Each structure stands twice: as structure tokens, then as C-alpha cells.
Amino acid sequence: MNATENALQVDAENSTAALIIFMTAGAGVVINVYAIMVVFWLQLQKNSFGILCLAHEIPDVIILTSFAMFCAPVTYFQINTQKAEELSRLLGHIDFIAWNITVYSHVHVAVNRFVSIYLPLTYRNTFTRRNTCFLVLIYTTLATLQTTPLFFEGCYLYYIPSMYLWSFSPTACGAALQTGDMSLGISLMTIVMGIDFCTFLKIRKTMKAISMNTTSEDRRQQKQEIRFYMQALVQSTVYIIKKLCFYVFSRFMTTKWTLFFFTFYAWMMCHLLDGLILIIYNYRKLKSHSNVYTSSTPISGALSASHTGTKSNGERITICYKYDTLIYPVFVFAEF
């Protein structure tokens, strides 16, 4: 292969990588913005779990936006200027903070689901909106403090356009940050798996009681809590897989493209799937919401309303709507 053919091949690879980055990250931004809208449409931000959803969906958008708006263009044009590298380090710092926030958020979600399933009365008194927002502020501050070494010269996280990779600086500080991120991330995700397993055991043990010894409304509430748990479980599983791809499986990759897919691409897909999972697990409720709930319906407190009309055969029918701010489903039933 002569120099011209080699240059054309490299250009084609750069274009392909840039397109993959832009399409994946761009789709992730759209999906996560829509997921945030779902949270507000269903008024989930009124409870603790909804606030925690926002706490990791918003960082998802920040990270994916930087990938689509920065990484894709510099990969396509192979920009290696000093200003581009400085911007890369700045975005790396911001993305590292955002990533840490999402990791801590998933730990918080696991604890939230554990307490909700094991101690429902304690959950209502402990995981209030105020307490949840305070905890989010605490681990956001902690996530920021973790990145303090990135303020020093020779310690940074940056993007390498020619390799399609994010990497820590080739210094002792960069190596320490990488080791710390790997160790802390895998440790926290292991804790999340343990908490989720204990929660699963409790759910399995109480499923029979839920179906036989509780009222219809209590069953709905319990099923809602279980759906929240399943959403959190699948999301945390995605994060665990991402960590394994980034720090374990990638060690066995030897080509530029396999490294790209097991590191950078896995990172993008992790955030894309985070929003997609939220949408999927709330789709049924969103569909019910769009069919029944209107902008004139009150959204605070445990409220009810009704509408009376007639069927085509003249039979009178009353449609009752109930909206409960603790669990946020919309229930519809009819009296004939």
C-alpha cells in the first residue's frame, strides 16, 4: 500500500469514527433530554426517586453533548492544536465530575430502593425531597473534590483524536487518577450489586403477600416500587458492564478499533442506555398519563376528579381519576 492509499484509508477511518461518535452521542443527548422531560411530565421530580433520576440524567446530557460537539469534529478534522488540547482537558475535567456524579447517584438509588422495599414507613419520612436534594448536593461536591488533582499541571484527562480515545495524562498523577477511578468505580458498583441482590430477595419473599393480602391500591403502589427497582437494577448493570469494558476487557484489545469500542464507545452507550431504560420503564405510565391526564388536572396532594357522560346507548357512565403524589401513577376506573 503506497502513501496515498494509506492516507485515504486513514481519512476514511477518521470519518467513520467521527460519524459513529456524533450519531451515538447525538442520539444519546436526544434520548436523555426526552427522559428528563418524561420525569417532569409524570411529575416524578416530586418524589425522591425522580430527583435521583434527574441527578444522573443531567450529567448524561452534559457528557454526551461534549462528545458530540467536540470529539466528533476534532476526530473528523484531526485537530491537534494547543487550543484544542486545552479545551479537551477542560471538557475532560467537566466530564470526569459528571461521571462521578452518575456513579454516586446509582449508589444512592440502590439505597433508596432498599429502604423503600424493606422499610416503607421509614422511607417516607427519610427520603423526603429536601433530604434527597441535600444528599445530591453532598455527593456532587464530593465528585468535584475528587477531581482536584486535575487543576495541577501535568495531571489531566484528555481526548486523543488520532486514537479515538480518552486517556489520563501519562504521568504519575494521571496513573493514580486512573487507578483511583477504576478501584472506586468497581468497588461502588459491587456495593450496588450487593444492595440490589438483598432488595431482590425481599421482593421475591413478599410477592405472594402483595398479590394475596393487600388492597388493590397497595398492590399498585408496591408494583410501582418494584418497577422503580427494576429500572435502577438494569441501569446499574449497564454501568457495571461499562466499567468492566473500560478497565478490564480493554486490556485484551490490541487494535485501535477494538480499543475504541471497548472504551470510548462503551462510555457513550452507557449514558445513552441510561436514558433509554428510564423511558422504557415509564412508557406504560407515560402512555396512561397522556391518555388520561390533562393540564387542568391538579398535581399536588392526593387528589381525585370525575367526569360524567353518557354512552351511545344512553347508559350513564362516570369516569374517575385519581392522582397520588407519592407513587405518581394515574388510575382510571368506571362506575356503571
Side-chain angles (χ1 to χ4, degrees), residues 16-17 19 22 75 87 94 104 109 111 115-116 130 182 193 201 207 211 232 243 248-249 251 267 269 279 300 314:
T16 302
L19 181 62
F22 183 78
T75 299
L87 180 57
I94 294 172
Y104 286 125
V109 167
V111 174
V115 176
S116 173
R130 181 177 180 180
M182 177 181 66
M193 289 177 65
L201 293 179
M207 280 301 293
S211 61
K243 278 290 184 183
V248 180
F249 301 149
R251 296 175 182 270
W267 191 1
M269 286 301 299
I279 294 170
S300 61

Side-chain angles (χ1 to χ4, degrees), residues 48-313:
S48 177
F49 185 79
I51 293 172
L52 294 177
C53 287
L54 291 177
H56 59 82
E57 293 300 335
I58 293 174
D60 286 344
V61 172
I62 293 173
I63 293 171
L64 290 169
T65 299
S66 72
F67 291 168
M69 301 304 293
F70 174 76
C71 296
V74 299
T75 299
Y76 183 81
F77 294 105
Q78 287 296 298
I79 303 174
N80 294 292
T81 63
Q82 182 64 31
K83 288 186 177 180
E85 185 172 340
E86 291 176 357
L87 180 57
S88 172
R89 296 182 185 185
L90 175 61
L91 291 176
H93 194 158
I94 294 172
D95 289 346
F96 196 29
I97 294 174
W99 167 255
N100 288 334
I101 292 173
T102 61
V103 172
Y104 286 125
S105 178
H106 280 287
V107 177
H108 193 174
V109 167
V111 174
N112 180 282
R113 293 299 86 207
F114 179 88
V115 176
S116 173
I117 298 300
Y118 274 89
L119 303 167
L121 295 180
T122 302
Y123 175 81
R124 297 185 185 188
N125 296 325
T126 303
F127 283 91
T128 62
R129 292 178 62 194
R130 181 177 180 180
N131 290 346
T132 302
C133 290
F134 181 69
L135 288 172
V136 171
L137 178 62
I138 288 177
Y139 67 69
T140 298
T141 303
L142 179 60
T144 304
L145 292 176
Q146 274 184 247
T147 66
T148 300
L150 294 177
F151 286 107
F152 298 99
E153 185 68 25
C155 196
Y156 48 86
L157 174 64
Y158 71 120
Y159 180 65
I160 308 174
S162 61
M163 295 297 295
Y164 323 142
L165 295 176
W166 282 92
S167 177
F168 287 97
S169 56
T171 61
C173 180
L177 277 176
Q178 181 174 347
T179 301
D181 179 56
M182 177 181 66
S183 301
L184 181 62
I186 293 178
S187 298
L188 289 178
M189 288 299 101
T190 301
I191 292 172
V192 167
M193 289 177 65
I195 295 173
D196 285 343
F197 180 71
C198 293
T199 306
F200 170 76
L201 293 179
K202 179 65 174 178
I203 290 175
R204 184 177 179 182
K205 182 178 179 180
T206 58
M207 280 301 293
K208 187 175 181 180
I210 291 175
S211 61
M212 297 181 60
N213 301 323
T214 58
T215 65
S216 176
E217 186 166 338
D218 286 339
R219 286 199 299 271
R220 291 190 183 102
Q221 180 175 343
Q222 290 290 340
K223 289 179 179 179
Q224 176 68 44
E225 297 296 343
I226 292 172
R227 280 197 296 271
F228 281 161
Y229 162 75
M230 290 303 301
Q231 174 188 323
L233 175 63
V234 175
Q235 287 175 320
S236 62
T237 300
V238 169
Y239 271 67
I240 292 169
I241 294 173
K242 182 268 177 185
K243 278 290 184 183
L244 292 175
C245 286
F246 206 94
Y247 287 118
V248 180
F249 301 149
S250 64
R251 296 175 182 270
F252 302 98
M253 303 301 118
T254 57
T255 67
K256 180 168 67 174
W257 281 104
T258 53
L259 279 171
F260 166 69
F261 281 111
F262 275 85
T263 55
F264 189 14
Y265 187 76
W267 191 1
M268 289 189 289
M269 286 301 299
C270 175
H271 295 294
L272 184 154
L273 292 174
D274 199 34
L276 185 62
I277 291 165
L278 186 149
I279 294 170
I280 290 173
Y281 273 91
N282 289 277
Y283 175 76
R284 182 184 302 176
K285 189 166 53 173
L286 181 64
K287 185 176 181 180
S288 174
H289 176 87
S290 63
N291 290 336
V292 178
Y293 181 69
T294 66
S295 60
S296 61
T297 305
I299 60 173
S300 61
L303 305 169
S304 62
S306 64
H307 174 74
T308 303
T310 58
K311 300 169 100 176
S312 58
N313 60 6

